[in-house]
Structure formats: C-alpha cells, structure tokens
Amino acid sequence: MAEYVLSCCSTVDLTPEYMEKRDIKYICFNYSVDGVSYKDDMGVSIKTSELHKRMLDGADAKTSQVSVGEYVEYFTSFLKDGKDILHCTLSSGISGTYNSACTAADILKEQFPDKKIYIVDSLEASSGYGLFMDKLADLKEEGMDIDSLLTWAEENKLNVNHWFFSSDLTFFIRGGRVSKTAGAIGKVLSICPLLNVDYMGRLISREKIRTKKKAILRAAEKMEELADNGIEYSDKVFISNSDPDGAKALADLIAERFPKIKGKVEIFDIGATIGCHTGPGTVALFFWGKKRED
C-alpha cells in the first residue's frame, strides 16, 4: 500500500501541537491587520485574543484563501517524496479554496501521473472541520488505505453537526451578516443568534435567542436532539470559541448531559480566518450525529 499524506487547511481551528500529534499536515490561510500580512497559523503569529482586541480598537482585518500557486508548492513537497495526498478543504459554502485546491491538483497530475491527489470539500468549518479531520486520522492510523478513506470521508462528512452563537454582534453587523437596525435591536434585547452549517456547508441563522445563558442551553439541546448515534463515530466533542467563559459553561453542560463523553469535550480558540469575521463573543459546538439534510 502506497504511503499517503492526510492534509487540510489551518482553518480546522485546532493547535499546531494537536496536528503534529495526529500526523495531519496543513496549509495556512492568509489574513492581514491594517495592511500587514500574516499566516493563519493557529495563533502562533497573533493570539486570537490579541487579534480581537485590535479589531475592537478599530483595526482593519481581512482574510484571503490559499492560492493555486500556494497549493501547487505545498502539494509538490509531498509528491516529490513519493507520497499520495488526501486533502480536505474548508467548506465551499464559505470559501473558494476547494476550487483552488482542485485546480492545483489538476496541474500536478500532469507532472506526477502515477500519484493520487484527492481533494475533498469537507463542508465543515472551524473545529467541526477539525473534528472531521481527527476522525480521518483515526481511520488512517488504523490502517485504512487512501481510496477507502476518500470514500468514507465523502459518505460521512455531513454527520458532523455545527451549532454556534454569538453574544457580541459587532462584527456580524460590520461584515453585513446582520443589518445595522437588527443589530441595534439585538444588542438592546441581548439577542444571541443561533446558527449552524447546513448540508451545503453554508452558515445559516436558525434561531434568535435572548441572553447568552439561554443560547448555551439551546446549543446543548441541539446536541441532545441531533447526536443520535453519533458517538458511534467518535465520542469526542469539540468547541471553538472567542468567549472562554461561554465555552467552559457549554463544555460543563455537555459533560453533565452526556456522561459517555465526559472528559472528551475539547476547547479550542477560533482561528484568525473565522475570527476576523465573527469577532469576540462566539461559541461553537461540534459533534457527530444525524446527517445534515437542510
């Protein structure tokens, strides 16, 4: 069986240490703050808390996806080592990076016709994307070959559920995701919009909830409703956040309501790419469960 690389983008919102431990390779997205360019390297260049502080102070933060050229250079390093590649991208419902990765793969297949370069549109985001990659790493570690892993990934990716809320609408308003009028009303009424990632990998607003405490409870209720037999895939639950207190409260509630996963609720920072758009106050819950169908 040919050796292969399991790969993704840095927008999995885990940590460099976690990725190294799981032997998952990754390529970094790009972003800038007041015109200065950085790599979204999971908080190595700038901690998420520092990024959000600068944004709140008025800094202009912008993101850009991985270019075709960057993908070509990145993939080539593995192909020259004689390795096949299974690369999963950030959801096409959020970014155009899937198309860039596919273009790069097509270019390299002419140069390396005997190598396999598989590109999967994960339809995931943030640490939900990370939870998906973590499971693929389990299967690879257990000896699954690249073709079987590709099939498994395509058949099961929609079973990762994403539910998140924000108690600070500042950057949702600034980015046009919430109108100024709705945002002003939302702030007065302490509205926390509850969103998820749908079956096409898009961010969709589902409910408007008053107060962060109720939003935390509602996120846990969504897991009770949708987790189903998801723990057969993995009993891990990931939370990404730009609100440490809210993330811990949700993690404690999940551990209480799901004894089987107690101690396996892992909390990560939201990375720069997602964080530049959501800002502070966001808590996102990710778990395996029922397939996303809407």
Side-chain angles (χ1 to χ4, degrees), residues 70-111:
E70 288 174 310
Y71 271 124
V72 167
E73 182 179 359
Y74 171 70
F75 290 152
T76 298
S77 65
F78 303 124
L79 297 169
K80 283 185 174 179
D81 285 342
K83 298 175 181 177
D84 295 328
I85 301 169
L86 175 59
H87 179 79
C88 303
T89 71
L90 177 66
S91 172
S92 62
I94 296 172
S95 166
T97 192
Y98 171 70
N99 291 330
S100 296
C102 288
T103 299
D106 289 341
I107 292 170
L108 289 168
K109 284 172 185 176
E110 296 183 9
Q111 186 178 351

Side-chain angles (χ1 to χ4, degrees), residues 68-277:
V68 173
E70 288 174 310
Y71 271 124
V72 167
E73 182 179 359
Y74 171 70
F75 290 152
T76 298
S77 65
F78 303 124
L79 297 169
K80 283 185 174 179
D81 285 342
K83 298 175 181 177
D84 295 328
I85 301 169
L86 175 59
H87 179 79
C88 303
T89 71
L90 177 66
S91 172
S92 62
I94 296 172
S95 166
T97 192
Y98 171 70
N99 291 330
S100 296
C102 288
T103 299
D106 289 341
I107 292 170
L108 289 168
K109 284 172 185 176
E110 296 183 9
Q111 186 178 351
F112 299 91
D114 298 328
K115 305 311 297 177
K116 296 174 180 177
I117 312 171
Y118 295 147
I119 309 298
V120 175
D121 178 0
S122 75
L123 302 180
E124 327 281 3
S126 193
S127 299
Y129 180 18
L131 185 64
F132 177 63
M133 295 306 302
D134 187 69
K135 179 59 180 179
L136 296 186
D138 286 341
L139 297 172
K140 180 176 184 287
E141 193 174 87
E142 291 166 8
M144 186 175 285
D145 64 80
I146 189 171
D147 292 282
S148 299
L149 192 61
L150 172 65
T151 299
W152 194 97
E154 293 288 7
E155 290 179 348
N156 294 278
K157 60 189 181 184
L158 289 177
N159 288 92
V160 180
N161 285 249
H162 306 52
W163 288 91
F164 62 102
F165 63 86
S166 180
S167 57
D168 187 333
L169 300 179
T170 301
F171 293 94
F172 286 82
I173 298 169
R174 191 173 296 179
R177 290 169 179 79
V178 175
S179 70
K180 290 183 179 179
T181 301
I185 295 171
K187 286 186 176 183
V188 171
L189 298 178
S190 298
I191 297 294
C192 295
L194 183 71
L195 305 93
N196 82 331
V197 173
D198 73 357
Y199 73 105
M200 295 180 67
R202 304 168 301 185
L203 302 182
I204 304 294
S205 179
R206 299 295 188 181
E207 299 177 18
K208 296 177 181 178
I209 300 171
R210 291 193 66 178
T211 77
K212 182 169 77 172
K213 184 176 181 180
K214 289 181 180 178
I216 290 170
L217 177 61
R218 186 65 179 132
E221 289 174 346
K222 281 296 181 182
M223 183 168 169
E224 289 182 322
E225 175 187 341
L226 299 169
D228 194 29
N229 294 321
I231 50 178
E232 293 178 5
Y233 290 86
S234 171
D235 56 2
K236 291 180 181 177
V237 172
F238 285 178
I239 292 173
S240 65
N241 81 99
S242 54
D243 175 1
D245 291 340
K248 185 179 184 308
L250 179 56
D252 290 345
L253 185 57
I254 294 298
E256 175 187 323
R257 295 194 173 197
F258 293 83
K260 184 171 181 178
I261 62 167
K262 192 171 185 179
K264 294 185 179 179
V265 181
E266 302 191 52
I267 299 176
F268 302 94
D269 289 336
I270 287 178
T273 298
I274 305 297
C276 280
H277 298 284

